[in-house]
Amino acid sequence: VSTFGSCFAQHIGRALQANGYNWFDAEPAPSLIEPEILRRFNYGIFSARTGNIYTTTLLLQWVEWALGIKEPPQDSWQKDNRFYDPFRPHIEPNGFVSHEEMLVSRQATLEAFRRTLVESSLFVFTLGLTECWRNTEQNYEYAVCPGTVAGEFDKDKHTFVNLDVKSVSQALIKSIRLIREVNPKIRFLLTVSPVPLTATASGKHVLLATMLSKSVLRSAANEVALKRRYVDYFPSFEIIN
């Protein structure tokens, strides 16, 4: 069982392990390091060190990169002479020592992520957000807004997008289709993160932005799960609420 998605997905992974399920750790941590240090460096949180995959469009981006359908960009962000991965900005708490080290680490994660797609029996994905930031010049999505963790914000090429139900479901359907092309027997379990937004770029009150985001994600998950026998939904959002 592989787990990915928003931060809430890590709780599902831990619960699976605690209850004797075979949770897939495709990018295991180096040995002889204290557990709290490993967690700071994002080992054992998801089935590979992707960091949070908040949106279904970001999931699709990872799937296409891992399967060689598209080439990942060579971009990096800088802060205090350290290098950060725009698609995994929190992976190394203090950044990488060089751009090259960052790319090598990202490639290792892409290979591990591909293993989860090809070898898993069940792929659990927690939908977390509808709000995202895109590079309109090169048409890819960031994990967070540029200039927050590191890097610089450029209003001419960095654009805010708030996904609707159709966009969320289309990206999710395409991701599932691509994964099943390399692993026809895999099944999917969708959840919606109950964690509310702490900030929004929508211009609305954060309470309204949270309710809109969760409603869109819940509707999209329902639409996808209803029409596919190999997709199911687990009500984590409803239980926590």
Side-chain angles (χ1 to χ4, degrees):
V1 182
S2 294
T3 54
F4 291 99
S6 75
C7 55
F8 188 76
Q10 63 185 297
H11 300 298
I12 297 175
R14 285 204 296 269
L16 289 171
Q17 292 180 79
N19 286 278
Y21 288 88
N22 186 14
W23 181 72
F24 192 2
D25 187 1
E27 195 171 2
S31 59
L32 305 178
I33 300 178
E34 294 296 323
E36 59 269 21
I37 296 177
L38 294 179
R39 293 195 67 79
R40 281 186 58 226
F41 284 82
N42 287 268
Y43 285 100
I45 295 180
F46 304 108
S47 291
R49 292 176 76 215
T50 57
N52 293 323
I53 303 178
Y54 285 116
T55 65
T56 59
T57 45
L58 191 58
L59 171 65
L60 176 59
Q61 187 168 277
W62 273 101
V63 170
E64 290 178 331
W65 290 350
L67 298 181
I69 297 168
K70 292 184 179 179
E71 281 293 319
Q74 302 295 296
D75 295 22
S76 63
W77 289 341
Q78 286 187 256
K79 180 182 178 182
D80 300 329
N81 295 318
R82 302 287 289 186
F83 293 80
Y84 293 78
D85 191 335
F87 313 105
R88 309 178 305 148
H90 297 288
I91 286 299
E92 296 280 327
N94 302 309
F96 294 92
V97 71
S98 68
H99 175 76
E100 291 72 23
E101 183 186 49
M102 184 215 74
L103 290 177
V104 169
S105 175
R106 183 196 295 167
Q107 185 58 38
T109 294
L110 281 169
E111 292 171 3
F113 185 68
R114 188 183 191 282
R115 284 190 62 207
T116 67
L117 305 183
V118 173
E119 300 178 26
S120 297
S121 299
L122 180 66
F123 189 94
V124 181
F125 185 72
T126 298
L127 292 78
L129 294 176
T130 56
E131 297 188 13
C132 60
W133 292 89
R134 298 192 64 84
N135 184 313
T136 53
E137 286 185 354
Q138 301 184 52
N139 193 31
Y140 56 73
E141 183 176 325
Y142 297 107
V144 297
C145 178
T148 50
V149 177
E152 296 182 1
F153 182 79
D154 185 341
K155 62 181 178 62
D156 293 327
K157 67 178 181 180
H158 297 148
T159 303
F160 171 71
V161 177
N162 202 357
L163 303 168
D164 58 15
V165 174
K166 182 178 179 181
S167 301
V168 173
S169 59
Q170 283 182 340
L172 185 55
I173 290 167
K174 187 174 181 181
S175 298
I176 290 171
R177 177 176 59 79
L178 291 174
I179 295 169
R180 283 179 62 83
E181 285 178 0
V182 296
N183 185 353
K185 294 184 178 181
I186 194 171
R187 299 174 69 85
F188 299 86
L189 184 64
L190 305 177
T191 67
V192 172
S193 170
V195 181
L197 279 70
T198 55
T200 175
S202 67
K204 304 294 184 181
H205 190 283
V206 71
L207 179 62
L208 297 179
T210 294
M211 186 57 68
L212 173 63
S213 180
K214 302 303 180 181
S215 299
V216 166
L217 296 174
R218 181 64 185 91
S219 298
N222 183 69
E223 183 178 301
V224 175
L226 271 179
K227 297 177 181 178
R228 286 156 184 82
R229 57 178 176 75
Y230 45 83
V231 182
D232 206 347
Y233 177 79
F234 177 77
S236 54
F237 175 75
E238 291 83 351
I239 290 170
I240 298 299
N241 267 356

